[in-house]
Amino acid sequence: MLRRVRQSLRQVLFLMARRPGLLCGAVLLGVLLVLAVKFPCRISLSRAKNVVASARPPVRFFSTEAPVVDLYMGQLDQVERLRSMAEVSLIFFYAPWCAHSMAARQEVQQVAKKLARQVQFVAVNCWWSQGKCRKQNRFYQYPIIHLFYRRFGPIEYKGPFLAPYVESFILRVITPLTYLPSRATLKEFLSYHEPRVVGFFQFNSSPQPPGYITYLSSALQALKRDFRGAVRFGVVTNKQVAEAIPLQDDETVYLYRRLNSSLIFPRSERNFTSEAICSWVFEHHETVLHWLQPPGTKSRLLERELTKGPALLLFLPHNPLGPSPNPILQQVADIAVRYHSCDNKNHSSSDKSFTSHSSQCCQSVLLPESSTSVCEVCLRLSRSLLTSSSVCCSFSSTAQGGDVLQPYLRHCCLHQESDPTSIKPTTSLGCSNFLNGYSPFSQYSACCRKVKPQLNESQAKEEPDTQRVPLTPPSSSIPPPSGPPQEADGITGLWCQTNRTLRFYVLDVALNWPLAVRLGATANKSASPHQEAGGGGGDGSFAAIVNLKDEVHYVLRRNPETTLTESLEAFIRNFSAPYSLLQRHLVGEEEQQDGEGETGHPDKHQHSSPRPLITELNTASFLPSVMDVQKDVLLFYYTQWCGFCSVLNHVLIQLARLLQGNGTITVARVNVARNDLPWEFMVDHVPSVLLFPKYRKHFSVKFPDDLPITLPNLLRFILQHSGSVQYADKPATSSSEAEGEGEGPGGIFRAEFLALQREVQTLRHARERLSQQLAQLWRDNRRLTFDTRTLEAKNSELQQERQNLEEQHREKSRQLGEAVRRLQDLADASENLLNENTLLRVLLRALKGRTEAKEQVEVERNEAEQKRSHMAS
């Protein structure tokens, strides 16, 4: 067969070689076929490229009426030309699709209308892909504001995109230095709480001293570090004014500090450059008030500041364009300065001490019988040393009562000659004072006074008792100190007198009101934060102390009758006290409107609503529910992310259903992840179960950790620790009333017996119900066992059938594959035969043509021969 095919192919090639036209036609058909295949692919590729439409050309972002040059094509090369034409320029980089850019556009237009004559405002579209701004810059957020002061810049603005803040920042860049022409202006400039820097430059010899530009650049460098301009720079050109600081040498930079000695820039140690001056100022300046501006996005700014220690967060209404000395901010700054002022020499006498308003607890001790002196040892709640002009006396420290109050009597006004171990008083007149440990508020004072030697019998009997009981309230106190009265504030130098120091932070209440609400501020929904702030005052302020280490924070609850200064001072003093009176502010979920979070006591509007099985508690309803003396409360601690708590929900529901008929037991739960609780009610892990028995809430019991939380264990735990029979702990009536009402000892026992009977009956019902449930569970379990066995048998049969079917499937698949293979071979053979048949037909036609040609030639030849023979004949 193959030989025939090969022979036929050779013959075909021989014929094509003899006929070149047939070969050219085959080649032409092949070329056309290749072109037909490639041409549709190119058409489809061109169509795919045209699917994405080209970006539309950008349009103006700012209105034509706004005094802003809008380079909406991203022409960054024109920015340099526009900057060179103005002394101060503002470059606003934006993206047209950015919502923040759209919001800041209105604010920038508002500022541009006010400062168009002083500042060149330029807006650049930095998102257009064909613009130079997009190609040369890689901004990760929009919008971005850069300011240029002449050739200095860029100074990036990192504050809120509000018109007052932007305008205030631009004004600071326009006038980075404050001119101080007189001593009065210099004194006023140094009176504020912000760090102040004064430069002395004489303009007599030349129109511009060589170091003045460096000093000006250092002020601009400070604005690059802090957009609020907390460090203010001033310049003095008059030598008489400079001598008031005092400054003698020309081109001197002076850093004014309130709490420590002021400094002069050391030109011999550092280079006189703008970067060096700015770094030196920020290294040595003092800041008692720190401004915080959270960016409103994910940031660790608050965490970095709060981890430094307890922080006093003050939310104040702030207007950057308002009057320079903000009254509220000035009050807070005055408190912060006095709080950090450890050296009282720099303050008035009103900031040094106070004595008249302090409470005291005194103990009178009678000295030797021959003496007519009494020593009074007092615990005085004072903030500074007490002074007095009481009469000094002489006695021995080992006298009567000295063993009891030995540490305090040693500090009384002792005479050196009477006892060599006595301590010399600090002053010739007055009481001796010493602090109680390391407390800024508590101190003991020992004073002596003259008394009459006559004592009556009652006083003689009471005297030993008073010596044995230290520091009890006396019948008479120490005579008031003589001399001019001294005012007191209790806040001066407190930073150096206690370990619980505070850092003062100020936030704009309008920008950070959600944070204040999370800390505990409340306000009407219709009122703005400036109108009324819960926990603050009528001025819209709010204050809170956050101690991140102890995980607590306290909220200032202002009295409307007190001023902000008085409230803040008391707030700080209470926090700094060893035993603080401040109550930890608890943050919890709000009460549900549908009564789901109620404590189980429906009011008059909820009589028709059914009582829930499990009472959901929150921070507000926790104590009223748990401390209800009329009910046993089983409390379940859980969180929404605890998987074990979710598993135990069905156990808790079954327990609540079982105890539903008993009105004296409440099953409750609290989500400790969303509700802060007092420390004494917190647990160390979840899930946890606590029982608060009635009539004796102080005997709360925790469910053992080594027992599984099951329904029988919970019932046994409740019955063991329930306070149902503890009627003896209730407030008892008088014996006469008890006898009159028939409630003597027998009545009490009878009441207990009846209570026990009721509880036994309840337990019986509960046991019967539990037995029925267990029997039903046993029957269900048995039924499930039988069903399981039947299903297992059926499953095994089905598995066997499945194996048989799989074997049959594999056999049929093999047979089918074999048949397909044979059919494929037959198809290939038939195709080969068709091809051979075709070739044979072609060959036969060719042979037939040759045969016919030969026969024709032979016939013609025969005819020719016949003609010849005929002609010859």
Side-chain angles (χ1 to χ4, degrees):
M1 189 72 178
L2 292 175
R3 291 179 180 178
R4 293 178 181 177
V5 173
R6 290 177 181 174
Q7 291 177 0
S8 61
L9 288 175
R10 287 176 182 175
Q11 292 176 359
V12 170
L13 293 174
F14 177 74
L15 292 174
M16 293 178 67
R18 294 186 64 181
R19 295 182 180 181
L22 182 62
L23 179 63
C24 293
V27 173
L28 181 61
L29 289 175
V31 172
L32 292 176
L33 181 61
V34 171
L35 292 176
V37 171
K38 290 186 176 181
F39 186 70
C41 295
R42 292 182 179 180
I43 293 176
S44 61
L45 290 175
S46 63
R47 290 178 180 177
K49 291 181 180 179
N50 295 332
V51 169
V52 180
S54 59
R56 297 180 180 179
V59 296
R60 286 185 60 89
F61 188 68
F62 285 83
S63 63
T64 56
E65 299 178 357
V68 179
V69 179
D70 192 356
L71 303 177
Y72 55 91
M73 299 294 292
Q75 306 97 313
L76 199 61
D77 51 352
Q78 298 187 17
V79 175
E80 297 294 333
R81 180 181 60 83
L82 294 173
R83 282 203 306 109
S84 61
M85 298 171 56
E87 186 174 2
V88 179
S89 303
L90 183 143
I91 314 301
F92 181 79
F93 298 98
Y94 67 89
W97 52 265
C98 177
H100 298 283
S101 301
M102 297 178 187
R105 173 176 55 186
Q106 305 296 332
E107 308 295 332
V108 173
Q109 288 183 173
Q110 183 179 350
V111 177
K113 292 179 180 179
K114 292 184 179 180
L115 304 177
R117 297 183 179 180
Q118 299 174 307
V119 181
Q120 176 68 56
F121 288 86
V122 181
V124 183
N125 182 2
C126 221
W127 185 256
W128 176 240
S129 58
Q130 300 179 9
K132 289 187 177 181
C133 183
R134 177 70 180 273
K135 296 178 181 179
Q136 298 181 9
N137 297 301
R138 291 293 181 269
F139 294 133
Y140 295 98
Q141 61 181 4
Y142 293 98
I144 293 178
I145 293 180
H146 286 172
L147 270 85
F148 293 86
Y149 182 87
R150 298 176 182 173
R151 296 182 179 180
F152 184 87
I155 306 174
E156 184 177 355
Y157 174 71
K158 299 180 180 180
F161 290 97
L162 298 176
Y165 282 89
V166 176
E167 183 178 353
S168 175
F169 181 72
I170 295 174
L171 293 177
R172 296 280 176 83
V173 175
I174 294 175
T175 56
L177 300 178
T178 303
Y179 178 58
L180 307 174
S182 62
R183 292 194 175 189
T185 55
L186 176 61
K187 182 178 180 181
E188 182 182 1
F189 178 75
L190 298 178
S191 63
Y192 297 107
H193 67 279
E194 297 98 342
R196 302 288 171 162
V197 181
V198 180
F200 174 45
F201 299 92
Q202 290 184 343
F203 285 77
N204 299 329
S205 58
S206 62
Q208 186 169 291
Y212 176 75
I213 297 299
T214 303
Y215 181 66
L216 177 65
S217 300
S218 65
L220 296 174
Q221 288 282 357
L223 287 175
K224 290 184 67 174
R225 291 196 180 190
D226 182 15
F227 76 94
R228 292 184 179 275
V231 181
R232 304 295 180 87
F233 287 75
V235 60
V236 175
T237 59
N238 192 342
K239 188 174 184 180
Q240 287 75 15
V241 177
E243 290 176 353
I245 300 180
L247 293 178
Q248 300 293 337
D249 300 332
D250 190 14
E251 297 186 7
T252 304
V253 179
Y254 173 82
L255 175 62
Y256 176 73
R257 302 194 298 180
R258 283 175 171 268
L259 307 179
N260 294 287
S261 301
S262 301
L263 301 176
I264 295 178
F265 181 76
R267 302 190 63 171
S268 59
E269 300 176 2
R270 300 195 181 193
N271 296 328
F272 194 77
T273 60
S274 60
E275 293 82 2
I277 295 175
C278 183
S279 301
W280 174 76
V281 169
F282 277 88
E283 287 175 5
H284 298 89
H285 81 288
E286 297 172 340
T287 303
V288 295
L289 276 181
H290 305 269
W291 275 95
L292 280 182
Q293 181 56 52
T297 57
K298 291 184 178 180
S299 173
R300 307 188 69 176
L301 174 64
L302 283 176
E303 181 185 1
R304 288 196 301 266
E305 297 298 330
L306 295 179
T307 50
K308 297 178 182 178
L312 174 61
L313 302 182
L314 297 159
F315 296 83
L316 305 177
H318 178 64
N319 183 13
L321 300 177
S324 179
N326 189 351
I328 301 177
L329 185 61
Q330 196 66 21
Q331 295 180 35
V332 175
D334 179 66
I335 295 173
V337 170
R338 288 188 283 114
Y339 177 81
H340 289 84
S341 299
C342 300
D343 187 7
N344 297 336
K345 295 180 180 180
N346 297 331
H347 302 276
S348 60
S349 61
S350 62
D351 297 335
K352 292 182 179 180
S353 63
F354 71 98
T355 58
S356 59
H357 300 287
S358 60
S359 59
Q360 57 190 4
C361 177
C362 300
Q363 172 66 54
S364 299
V365 179
L366 184 64
L367 295 176
E369 297 179 357
S370 59
S371 175
T372 59
S373 301
V374 171
C375 186
E376 288 191 353
V377 181
C378 296
L379 172 62
R380 184 183 295 270
L381 301 178
S382 176
R383 287 82 177 173
S384 58
L385 296 179
L386 303 175
T387 58
S388 176
S389 59
S390 58
V391 181
C392 292
C393 57
S394 63
F395 58 91
S396 175
S397 63
T398 60
Q400 182 181 1
D403 295 335
V404 180
L405 302 175
Q406 179 69 21
Y408 314 128
L409 295 180
R410 288 176 58 86
H411 290 268
C412 197
C413 301
L414 305 180
H415 195 275
Q416 294 180 353
E417 298 178 358
S418 62
D419 187 8
T421 62
S422 61
I423 298 176
K424 183 179 179 181
T426 55
T427 58
S428 59
L429 296 177
C431 301
S432 300
N433 301 274
F434 58 97
L435 294 177
N436 176 23
Y438 195 71
S439 169
F441 302 121
S442 303
Q443 65 179 24
Y444 289 98
S445 63
C447 299
C448 297
R449 60 185 177 89
K450 296 289 185 178
V451 296
K452 296 181 180 181
Q454 294 83 5
L455 294 175
N456 53 25
E457 296 179 358
S458 61
Q459 292 175 343
K461 293 179 180 179
E462 293 176 358
E463 183 179 351
D465 297 335
T466 58
Q467 294 178 357
R468 289 193 298 269
V469 182
L471 301 178
T472 57
S475 58
S476 62
S477 59
I478 298 177
S482 60
Q486 294 178 342
E487 298 180 359
D489 57 3
I491 203 71
T492 303
L494 189 57
W495 185 73
C496 303
Q497 300 176 13
T498 177
N499 285 334
R500 305 187 69 184
T501 55
L502 283 173
R503 295 173 63 87
F504 289 71
Y505 294 96
V506 183
L507 298 92
D508 191 345
V509 67
L511 299 179
N512 303 279
W513 181 245
L515 176 60
V517 172
R518 291 183 62 184
L519 290 175
T522 56
N524 298 329
K525 296 183 179 179
S526 60
S528 62
H530 293 285
Q531 293 176 357
E532 181 180 357
D539 51 7
S541 60
F542 172 75
I545 294 177
V546 179
N547 191 348
L548 195 62
K549 181 180 180 181
D550 295 340
E551 297 183 0
V552 296
H553 77 278
Y554 310 97
V555 174
L556 173 61
R557 303 296 179 185
R558 285 183 57 185
N559 188 353
E561 299 179 356
T562 60
T563 61
L564 177 62
T565 302
E566 295 173 350
S567 300
L568 276 179
E569 288 183 359
F571 190 45
I572 296 172
R573 288 197 303 268
N574 290 332
F575 173 78
S576 303
Y579 304 98
S580 178
L581 299 177
L582 297 178
Q583 295 293 330
R584 170 176 169 240
H585 184 74
L586 303 177
V587 179
E589 296 177 321
E590 297 181 356
E591 293 284 349
Q592 301 295 330
Q593 299 297 331
D594 54 359
E596 183 182 356
E598 296 295 330
T599 61
H601 299 283
D603 54 13
K604 60 182 180 180
H605 298 288
Q606 296 179 347
H607 284 299
S608 59
S609 60
R611 183 175 179 270
L613 287 176
I614 302 175
T615 304
E616 187 74 24
L617 302 181
N618 54 21
T619 302
S621 62
F622 179 79
L623 287 178
S625 300
V626 171
M627 303 308 291
D628 187 1
V629 295
Q630 300 294 334
K631 289 187 178 182
D632 296 309
V633 181
L634 183 74
L635 185 60
F636 178 70
Y637 292 82
Y638 79 100
T639 58
Q640 70 274 10
W641 46 261
C642 174
F644 299 100
C645 303
S646 302
V647 171
L648 296 175
N649 282 336
H650 72 283
V651 178
L652 201 64
I653 293 174
Q654 290 181 5
L655 178 65
R657 287 178 178 175
L658 194 63
L659 301 176
Q660 189 174 7
N662 194 338
T664 61
I665 300 178
T666 300
V667 180
R669 69 174 188 171
V670 60
N671 189 346
V672 293
R674 296 180 178 177
N675 297 278
D676 292 341
L677 302 179
W679 293 124
E680 59 269 21
F681 294 99
M682 288 299 295
V683 292
D684 55 354
H685 67 277
V686 288
S688 294
V689 179
L690 267 72
L691 177 65
F692 297 87
K694 63 180 180 181
Y695 305 120
R696 51 191 184 97
K697 295 295 182 179
H698 53 286
F699 288 117
S700 58
V701 187
K702 183 181 179 182
F703 188 83
D705 294 334
D706 54 350
L707 288 179
I709 302 179
T710 59
L711 185 60
N713 290 340
L714 287 176
L715 283 173
R716 191 178 298 108
F717 174 70
I718 294 174
L719 296 177
Q720 181 181 359
H721 301 285
S722 175
S724 300
V725 297
Q726 303 297 329
Y727 289 100
D729 294 338
K730 295 173 61 178
T733 57
S734 61
S735 59
S736 59
E737 294 178 355
E739 293 176 358
E741 297 177 0
E743 297 182 359
I748 295 176
F749 288 128
R750 181 176 178 80
E752 291 186 0
F753 178 74
L754 293 176
L756 285 174
Q757 281 186 342
R758 287 193 297 268
E759 291 195 359
V760 170
Q761 190 69 19
T762 303
L763 290 177
R764 287 178 180 175
H765 290 305
R767 186 182 64 181
E768 292 176 358
R769 193 178 305 173
L770 185 59
S771 300
Q772 294 175 1
Q773 292 180 359
L774 290 175
Q776 183 66 27
L777 289 175
W778 182 82
R779 288 192 294 270
D780 294 343
N781 188 19
R782 187 173 180 82
R783 189 183 304 108
L784 289 175
T785 303
F786 289 135
D787 295 342
T788 302
R789 292 177 181 177
T790 304
L791 291 175
E792 287 178 354
K794 291 182 178 180
N795 188 22
S796 60
E797 295 177 359
L798 292 175
Q799 291 290 340
Q800 187 66 27
E801 293 180 2
R802 178 184 177 184
Q803 293 178 0
N804 297 333
L805 291 175
E806 287 180 353
E807 291 178 359
Q808 294 178 5
H809 176 70
R810 286 194 294 269
E811 182 65 22
K812 295 296 182 182
S813 299
R814 187 184 62 79
Q815 295 177 1
L816 184 61
E818 186 66 22
V820 170
R821 185 179 62 79
R822 291 179 179 178
L823 290 175
Q824 186 66 32
D825 294 341
L826 291 174
D828 295 339
S830 63
E831 186 177 357
N832 294 332
L833 290 175
L834 290 174
N835 294 333
E836 292 178 357
N837 189 17
T838 305
L839 292 174
L840 290 174
R841 287 181 180 179
V842 172
L843 291 174
L844 288 174
R845 290 180 181 177
L847 293 174
K848 187 176 180 180
R850 287 185 177 183
T851 303
E852 291 178 353
K854 289 180 179 181
E855 290 180 353
Q856 185 68 24
V857 170
E858 190 66 27
V859 171
E860 291 178 356
R861 187 181 299 169
N862 292 334
E863 290 179 355
E865 289 180 358
Q866 289 178 2
K867 287 182 179 181
R868 284 189 200 133
S869 63
H870 182 68
M871 292 286 296
S873 61

